[in-house]
Amino acid sequence: MRSLLIALAATVALSLPARADEVTVAVTAIVEHPALDAARDGVKDALAAAGYKEGENLKFIYESAQGNPATAAQIARQFAGEAPSVIVPISTPSAQAVVSSTRDIPVVFTAVSDPLGAQLVKDMEKPGGNVTGLSDLSPVAEHVALIKEILPNVKTIGYLYNSGEANSVSLLAVLKEEAEKAGLSVIESAATKSAEVQGAARALVGRADAIYIPTDNTIISALEGAVAVAEESKLPLFTADTDSVSRGAVAALGFNYYDVGKQTGEVVVRVLKGENPGDIAVKVAAGTDLVINKGAATRMGVTLPESVVGRATRTIE
């Protein structure tokens, strides 16, 4: 009986992850807003599901750059100096800062639309080095189709973005291509910091038939300013971020960022268990949700078609 118990204990010990002083996961995001916070929580829950639990055998560190690229670089250097087991940067600016700061510590990025354009990796299938992660490349063609379905007479889409954020610049090129296919034109309006968002939204009034906001952390962190302009001007506002719909957008087709975080956490677990990040392919996150806000639609003068209402995965009244 005693030998059986010893054997069982040995088996359990082998299946457990490393001790707290051996497993540290450092997470950073460019700014705090619901989507990025949900991604962070998904990472933590995926780690817990794999047996890595904070306070038991995991030290989980989180730092926000509060929207400041210089702070993101400072956090990246701090993490590189602390040498955690894995660094998880959330968003393109944070990922760029982290990847620039270390060539040795494993990096698993997430919520990055264009890892190639952001120069985080040179090959999605074989990233090489110490970096891998998940892309949240938006289904832009489906976004254009959704806007046309809700607004059949739309001619011009106003693109509200931070011209200094690499993923938003990449998505602008994609949007222009998809809009042209659909017979639409695109007008840009840029805000390089959150204080400029409301003014940038106002610059689209009278020039665009709808506002479209990508997964841009600067704009989304100050979304309420854009929503106020949209409601006042009866200018329908759409986003690529589903968490923004509850904050006043008409609709969004995009990822559930908690699920994106969980998918990212599963990659982190693989790295903690010994896989080389450079050997793990960069994947586009799975799953899309259609979220609609009936109240926002009414305030912006929009009637949501039954075809959209019927297939929505979540409806905000």
Side-chain angles (χ1 to χ4, degrees), residues 293-311:
N293 186 326
K294 290 183 175 180
T298 299
R299 290 188 292 274
M300 294 177 198
V302 175
T303 300
L304 291 169
E306 284 303 317
S307 58
V308 173
V309 174
R311 69 175 189 274

Side-chain angles (χ1 to χ4, degrees), residues 242-258:
T242 55
D243 288 309
S244 293
V245 179
S246 62
R247 297 166 63 197
V250 171
L253 180 67
F255 300 104
N256 178 317
Y257 276 86
Y258 175 76

Side-chain angles (χ1 to χ4, degrees), residues 194-210:
S194 58
E196 298 174 355
V197 170
Q198 191 166 41
R202 194 165 280 119
L204 292 170
V205 176
R207 303 171 64 214
D209 302 315

Side-chain angles (χ1 to χ4, degrees), residues 181-214:
K181 291 177 186 175
L184 307 179
S185 59
V186 175
I187 293 178
E188 308 165 34
S189 188
T192 57
K193 53 188 177 182
S194 58
E196 298 174 355
V197 170
Q198 191 166 41
R202 194 165 280 119
L204 292 170
V205 176
R207 303 171 64 214
D209 302 315
I211 295 175
Y212 171 71
I213 297 173

Side-chain angles (χ1 to χ4, degrees), residues 8 11 103 131 189 193-194 233 238 267 296:
L8 285 171
T11 301
R103 295 288 182 268
V131 181
S189 188
K193 53 188 177 182
S194 58
S233 307
F238 301 84
V267 177

Side-chain angles (χ1 to χ4, degrees), residues 19-44:
R19 298 188 310 275
D21 62 342
E22 296 174 335
V23 177
T24 301
V25 175
V27 180
T28 182
I30 188 61
V31 72
E32 290 175 286
H33 65 64
L36 301 190
D37 295 348
R40 174 200 62 208
D41 295 343
V43 170
K44 183 184 284 190

Side-chain angles (χ1 to χ4, degrees), residues 4 52 60 81 203 209 300 315:
L4 177 60
Y52 296 90
F60 190 91
D209 302 315
M300 294 177 198
T315 300

